[in-house]
């Protein structure tokens, strides 16, 4: 029995929730069962590949595929010449999508090096590659622009098509613009005793690097249904977008998501399914496409590179008077996720300091002729926090106070709200929210102790070429998108007394199948082992928006809890007739319905069996949906101890402490895995990961040799701690854990360097070279 | 990947005869950790691949009087585990530990590292400090060349068309010899050096009797920093400021490029400190 304790009182006790039950797919995964998209082989399967643009911006004058079609085994070439032209967004978001409709399956124009030109399907990948080398494309090169500030001048127009929509200002390449003033920022700044005049922060393009790149296999079943087996986070959005852009009846499309080798946001996107599907429709053959690692880097999606300006004003005792934040996102050639990532860089960060008198958020998401940015764990908040939490340390530095104290004075607490919640939503206005659970203050205290803050802070302990520093950052995220994300769940009772759970939710390695079964088990009162989970099949499971926005535990969990309650009521109601007892006196316990007065019981097996075969026959089942007006934020405080090597500029993380309030924890090991995974990804973002472009926009390091992910020997001791709170709106008090922890490493390390040597590193990643240059410029004695 | 002919040979003679036959149009395959990557990227023009992995004459680490002979097929993992090398030539052991990952160290060979002739090859700086000699064999017989004469530029060596590297010859360390290898990468494993430095010192009565300094990734080939060596040779007093100043001279001896791993400027500046840090580990430097 696990317990949730608040102020020394036990507030909840659970049977399954809070236990490290065996991961639902753990055994088949570790024994190498054929669970993934690519683990099937279909006879007559075609292999597909996309031919991509060698120019950053060009018109396609002519595509001559005649030589390619002569090669034996080449079956189909798709291009703008023979595909429907229907504007859409590749973003897998709720409908209508906040992203602009600026993408076509194939277009007459290419907008970055790596953009789609045409696609070939053939009997083997070698044949297809040869075919691509034989396709002659004549381009008319156009001027291009890689820098978003240049792009906003409008000298080069990247999207001039008449048939696109949802773009804020095509003539200046602005996808989305926002300007939210709350109070009088200029005046508050003027009146402030302490001011951070203007600090500018830069974040770099990085990739999600899932172990499994994008892969889809499409085929027709015996009834002429198009089956799309795909590595996706959003099967229902894929079905909807496919039906629209292929002009193919939705009824005949079935999207199946098998096990997934990682997503992190890059699979919240329709990237290859359309091509495979259309090839299957045209050739009637199964079609397989898998991106190579290089294609995954260049032609899938990235985290938005950004430039962020921050101004802060505070009075003598550290109370914030003004936060002025301006964000410029480089969206690359298409606007997918542009408006929402832009809004989130403010909406997920600014409410953290809700006591401020005036806030302003100005933002632009801009087209350039670079590879495309999209959804990435953290979703704008990661960029925003690097800037905001760095600026907070700059302010504390200026005031000469402990940065922890500055945060304590200003951060949001339980029962409070922020005007930002209402002003900034998903590319539009948001929804007012009060914080119903927060242990942020406690997280800060515990982390401070764990990292030995007092021992290291400000001491600049030097050991030869190494100087030690300690830094921290605090953060929040959300749990789903309020009044947008909806999830359905269905459950049925079998004649052996077990339950089947059907959910549209998409387990992309997160463990959501496991924790959703735990929630059902807890609610109904049957063992976790008695639940079988079916998920992510657009024909057989109910709708779910998908795996993004830290939503599954909270939103789908909410639906599962409701369905559990409903089926429990139905089981008891059925049993009450069998037992001739008032349902109020019956509970489900030890695989039986038990009369709490007499102790009489009847097993779930008997109930299941009799409901099928002899007594008031019916299928006992239930379905439910969940949508919330809230998105309760999880909170975290991160601390890092580093050594800085003055002779090389190398930052060596020594110890990392992350203290989380994610509500009630459903599965401690899985939650910890999410936290550690986020931190490792965040450390790579902070220290080494960066995609580098030539002056023409050629990506120079699209490989694992030259794109530096951290390896196991680069990662410090990571200590994750949870302070449980109970959020009254979440299933059994749960909030979310998927994204929040990626926001901490960059500002915490940056602030540790500030502590160690007084240098402000405002541009990511903090590579040895950059740090070394800053050390030389600062005149510090090496 | 383009098509090629694959030959697996059983002995040295067969390898040399085949390579004579194909001339320029062939490549030897040892561990394949360089070659296969390049094959997959279509960077190899040669149409014949001669797999030398089964040639016994190229294997093993042997003590021969005051020398150690390392077969060209010896892998980094074998080097790291070799008691002979740990005892008599520890620098090459230290450098080998810094190569790639366990998988790369299990497959990658010292001969491949040398013949690939990258300025970033991690085994090469220590071999410069050891004044290594390379035993080569061709249809014209064998010859021994000094390491300093072997490399001609990135990817370029003096190896003739039908010539193969058989073994590397090192002198055993004496008692008063010490060394340090220092590799700077973007991360701690699976990383190609931004710059590296290697130092071997012979000390007597607290004095630097002899010193050899080599640097990787900062010139078209691995180089020796002989000017700095000359200034340091004979030194008895080790003051930090003075030593750093001497290390600064290394700038005159290197000629790095800018690439995705680091800029020329950074490589120039950081080389000085890599040399200093190596010295710092070997000498009792004060203040
Ligand atoms: C992921 C990865 C990480 C790496 N990390 C490092 C690193 O940290 N440090 C480092 O130095 N290197 C690194 N490398 C490069 C490579 O592993 C080494 O250079 C290795 O020593 C090559 O040896 P091999 O046996 O695999 O050579 P092969 O690939 O088999 O051959 C390399 C070249 O040498 C020639 N050749 C091989 N043996 C002979 C011979 N006996 N005579 C004549 N010619 C010969 C071949 O024809 C070929 O041109 C890395 C490579 C990869 C893929």
């Amino acid at each position: 029995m696990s317990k949730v304790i608040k102020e020394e009182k036990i507030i909840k006790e659970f049977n399954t929730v809070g236990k490290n039950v065996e991961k639902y797919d753990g055994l088949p995964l570790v024994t190498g069962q054929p669970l993934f998209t690519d683990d099937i082989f279909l006879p007559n399967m075609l292999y597909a590949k996309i031919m991509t643009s060698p120019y950053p911006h060009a018109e396609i004058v002519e595509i001559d595929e005649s030589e390619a079609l002569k090669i034996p085994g080449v079956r189909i070439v798709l291009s703008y010449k023979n595909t429907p032209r229907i504007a859409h967004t590749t973003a897998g978001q709720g409908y209508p999508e906040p992203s602009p409709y600026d993408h076509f399956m194939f277009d007459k124009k290419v907008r970055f090096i790596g953009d789609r030109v045409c696609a070939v399907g053939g009997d083997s990948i070698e044949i297809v590659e040869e075919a691509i080398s034989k396709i002659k494309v004549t381009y008319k090169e156009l001027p291009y622009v890689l820098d978003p500030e240049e792009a906003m001048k409008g000298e080069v127009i990247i999207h001039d098509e008449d048939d696109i929509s949802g773009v804020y200002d095509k003539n200046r390449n602005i996808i989305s613009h926002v300007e939210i003033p709350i109070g009088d920022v200029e005046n508050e700044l003027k009146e402030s005793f302490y001011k951070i005049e203007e600090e500018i922060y830069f974040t770099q393009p990085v990739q999600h690097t899932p172990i499994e790149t994008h892969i889809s296999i499409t085929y027709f079943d015996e009834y002429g249904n198009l089956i799309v087996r795909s590595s996706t986070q959003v099967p229902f959005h894929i079905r909807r977008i496919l039906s629209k852009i292929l002009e193919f009846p939705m009824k005949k499309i079935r999207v199946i998501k098998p096990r997934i080798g990682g997503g992190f946001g890059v699979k919240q996107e329709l990237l290859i399914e359309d091509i495979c599907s259309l090839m299957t429709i045209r050739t009637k053959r199964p079609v397989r496409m898998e991106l190579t690692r290089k294609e995954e880097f260049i032609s899938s999606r990235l985290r938005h590179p950004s430039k962020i300006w921050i101004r802060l004003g505070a009075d003598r005792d550290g109370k914030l008077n003004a936060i002025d934040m301006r964000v410029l996102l480089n969206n690359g050639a298409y606007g997918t996720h542009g408006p929402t990532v832009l809004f989130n860089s403010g909406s997920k960060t600014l409410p953290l300091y809700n006591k401020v008198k005036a806030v302003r958020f100005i933002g632009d998401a801009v087209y350039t002729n670079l590879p495309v940015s999209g959804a990435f764990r953290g979703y704008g908040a990661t960029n925003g926090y690097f800037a905001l939490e760095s600026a907070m340390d700059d302010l504390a530095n200026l005031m000469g106070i402990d940065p922890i104290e500055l945060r304590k004075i200003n951060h949001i607490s339980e029962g409070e709200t922020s005007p930002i919640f209402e002003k900034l939503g998903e590319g539009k206005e948001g929804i007012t929210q009060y914080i119903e659970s927060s242990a942020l203050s406690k997280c800060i205290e515990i982390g401070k102790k764990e990292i030995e803050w007092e021992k290291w802070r400000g001491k600049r302990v030097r050991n030869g070429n190494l100087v030690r520093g300690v830094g921290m950052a605090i953060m929040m995220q959300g749990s789903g998108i309020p009044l947008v994300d909806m999830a359905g769940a269905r459950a049925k009772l079998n004649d052996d007394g077990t339950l089947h759970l059907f959910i549209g939710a998409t387990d992309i390695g997160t463990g959501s199948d496991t924790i959703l079964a735990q929630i059902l088990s807890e609610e109904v009162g049957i063992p976790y082992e008695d639940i079988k989970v079916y998920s992510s099949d657009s024909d057989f499971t109910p709708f779910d928006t998908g795996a993004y926005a830290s939503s599954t535990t909270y939103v789908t969990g909410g639906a599962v809890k409701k369905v559990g309650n409903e089926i429990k009521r139905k089981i008891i109601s059925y049993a009450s007739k069998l037992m001739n007892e008032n349902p109020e006196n019956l509970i489900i316990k030890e695989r039986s319905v038990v009369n709490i007065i007499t102790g009489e019981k009847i097993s779930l097996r008997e109930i299941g069996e009799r409901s099928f075969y002899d007594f008031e026959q019916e299928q006992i089942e239930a379905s439910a949906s969940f949508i919330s007006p809230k998105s309760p934020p999880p909170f975290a405080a991160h601390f890092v101890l580093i050594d800085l090597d003055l002779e090389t500029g190398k930052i060596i993380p020594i110890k990392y402490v992350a203290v989380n309030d994610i509500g009630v924890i459903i599965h401690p090991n899985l939650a910890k895995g999410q936290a550690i995974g986020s931190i490792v990804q965040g450390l790579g973002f902070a220290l080494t990961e960066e995609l580098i472009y030539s002056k023409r926009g050629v990506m120079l390091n699209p490989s694992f040799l030259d794109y530096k992910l951290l390896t196991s020997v680069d990662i410090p001791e990571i200590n994750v701690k949870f302070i449980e709170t109970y959020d009254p709106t979440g299933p059994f008090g749960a909030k979310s854990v998927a994204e929040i922890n990626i926001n901490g490493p960059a500002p915490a390390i940056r602030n540790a360097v500030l502590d160690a040597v007084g240098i402000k590193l405002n541009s990511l990643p903090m590579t040895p070279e950059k740090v070394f240059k800053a050390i030389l410029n600062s005149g510090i004695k090496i | 990947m383009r098509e090629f002919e694959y030959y697996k040979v059983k002995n040295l003679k067969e390898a040399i005869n085949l390579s004579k036959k194909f001339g320029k149009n062939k490549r030897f395959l040892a561990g394949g950790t360089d070659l296969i990557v390049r094959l997959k990227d279509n960077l190899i023009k040669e149409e014949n691949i001669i797999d030398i992995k089964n040639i016994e004459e190229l294997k093993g680490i042997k003590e021969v009087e005051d020398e150690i002979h390392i077969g060209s097929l010896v892998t980094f993992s074998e080097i790291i585990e070799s008691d002979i090398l740990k005892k008599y030539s520890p620098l090459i052991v230290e450098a080998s530990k810094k190569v790639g990952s366990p998988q790369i160290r299990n497959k990658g060979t010292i001969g491949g590292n040398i013949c690939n002739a990258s300025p970033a090859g991690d085994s090469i700086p220590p071999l410069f400090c050891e004044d290594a000699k390379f035993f080569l064999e061709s249809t014209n017989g064998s010859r021994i060349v000094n390491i300093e004469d072997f490399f001609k530029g990135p990817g370029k060596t003096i190896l003739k068309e039908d010539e193969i590297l058989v073994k590397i010859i090192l002198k055993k360390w004496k008692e008063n010899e010490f060394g340090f290898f220092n590799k700077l990468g973007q991360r701690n494993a699976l990383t190609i050096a931004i710059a590296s430095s290697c130092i071997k010192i012979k000390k007597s009565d607290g004095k630097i009797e002899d010193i050899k300094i080599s640097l990787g990734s900062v010139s078209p080939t691995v180089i020796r920093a002989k000017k700095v060596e000359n200034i340091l040779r004979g030194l008895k007093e080790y003051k930090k400021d003075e030593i750093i100043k001497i290390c600064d001279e290394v700038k005159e001896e290197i000629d790095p490029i800018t690439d995705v791993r680091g800029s020329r400027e950074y490589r120039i500046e950081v080389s000085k400190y890599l040399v200093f840090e190596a010295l710092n580990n070997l000498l009792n430097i004060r203040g």
Side-chain angles (χ1 to χ4, degrees), chain B:
Chain B
M1 189 150 73
R2 287 213 332 241
E3 275 187 27
F4 54 82
E5 296 293 320
Y6 172 86
Y7 301 89
K8 187 152 194 164
V9 295
K10 288 185 287 296
N11 56 52
L12 200 49
K13 197 152 184 219
E14 217 182 308
I16 291 166
N17 287 340
L18 255 187
S19 72
K20 175 87 184 167
K21 180 173 151 201
F22 296 127
K24 273 202 167 62
N25 193 13
K26 67 102 202 4
R27 284 270 181 169
F28 291 123
L29 173 73
T33 58
D34 276 314
L35 191 66
I36 299 209
V37 176
R38 295 170 63 81
L39 272 171
K40 285 192 171 171
D41 286 345
N42 285 327
L43 294 172
I44 299 289
K45 297 181 299 293
E46 293 82 346
E47 291 166 309
N48 300 287
I49 301 295
I50 305 176
D51 185 343
I52 58 174
K53 270 197 298 292
N54 277 4
I55 303 180
E56 282 306 318
E57 295 105 303
L58 306 183
K59 294 184 184 171
I61 300 166
K62 295 179 196 88
E63 277 183 79
V64 183
E65 295 167 2
D66 67 338
E67 290 176 348
I68 308 163
H69 293 193
I70 307 175
S72 64
L73 278 180
V74 168
T75 64
F76 295 111
S77 295
E78 286 170 330
I79 290 174
I80 292 165
E81 273 149 36
S82 160
D83 290 330
I84 299 174
L85 288 174
K86 276 191 252 180
K87 189 166 171 199
Y88 294 118
S89 197
L91 265 178
I92 185 73
V93 177
E94 287 312 307
S96 298
K97 287 181 188 166
K98 301 273 164 81
V99 173
S101 60
Q103 296 89 331
I104 295 295
R105 294 194 289 270
N106 284 340
K107 292 299 279 180
T109 65
I110 186 167
N113 202 233
I114 293 166
C115 296
N116 195 52
S118 158
D122 284 325
S123 72
I124 303 173
L127 296 178
F128 266 90
C129 285
E130 304 294 2
D131 270 336
K133 293 185 172 32
F134 297 156
F135 187 101
L136 315 176
E137 185 130 343
S138 68
T139 44
N140 291 334
S142 62
R143 58 172 176 153
I144 291 179
V145 298
N146 289 329
I147 186 164
E148 289 206 47
D149 302 324
F150 186 77
F151 298 102
K152 289 288 156 214
K156 293 203 189 80
T157 68
I158 57 147
L159 279 177
K160 302 236 169 67
E161 272 169 26
D162 62 342
E163 209 164 30
I164 194 166
L165 171 63
V166 175
K167 62 189 173 188
I168 297 101
I169 302 169
L170 307 176
K171 281 261 185 302
K172 284 184 186 171
W173 276 29
K174 312 266 162 28
E175 271 198 353
N176 52 355
E177 291 181 318
F178 306 90
F180 192 80
F181 175 76
N182 204 359
K183 172 179 175 181
L184 174 67
Q186 288 157 303
R187 60 185 173 198
N188 296 331
L190 274 168
T191 195
I192 307 295
I194 298 170
S196 64
S197 86
C198 188
I199 297 189
K200 187 179 165 193
I201 274 187
K202 191 170 180 183
K203 281 203 268 191
S204 64
D205 310 330
K207 192 175 80 176
I208 302 178
E209 191 183 314
D210 196 12
I211 181 161
K212 295 200 178 79
I213 303 175
S214 60
L215 290 118
S217 278
V218 288
S219 280
T221 68
V222 173
I223 55 125
R224 279 269 297 279
K226 290 191 179 168
K227 276 190 202 149
V228 178
E229 290 176 7
N230 286 338
I231 309 174
L232 289 167
R233 201 170 290 118
L235 214 67
K236 280 204 274 282
E237 289 279 303
Y238 312 121
K239 285 217 205 82
K240 183 173 171 183
D241 289 349
E242 281 169 27
I243 300 271
I244 289 191
K245 221 186 235 154
I246 296 171
C247 293
D248 203 35
E249 293 291 317
V250 79
K251 287 178 187 167
E252 306 299 318
E253 308 191 66
I254 59 180
D255 184 15
I257 56 161
T258 293
D259 63 14
V260 291
R261 289 180 272 278
S263 71
R264 173 180 165 86
E265 295 70 35
Y266 179 54
R267 288 186 156 115
I268 289 176
E269 281 301 328
V270 87
S271 292
K272 145 173 134 186
Y273 289 106
L274 287 180
V275 174
F276 172 76
E277 201 44 44
L279 286 169
N280 199 17
N281 273 277
L282 296 169
L283 304 170
N284 189 12
I285 296 179
R286 285 175 297 109

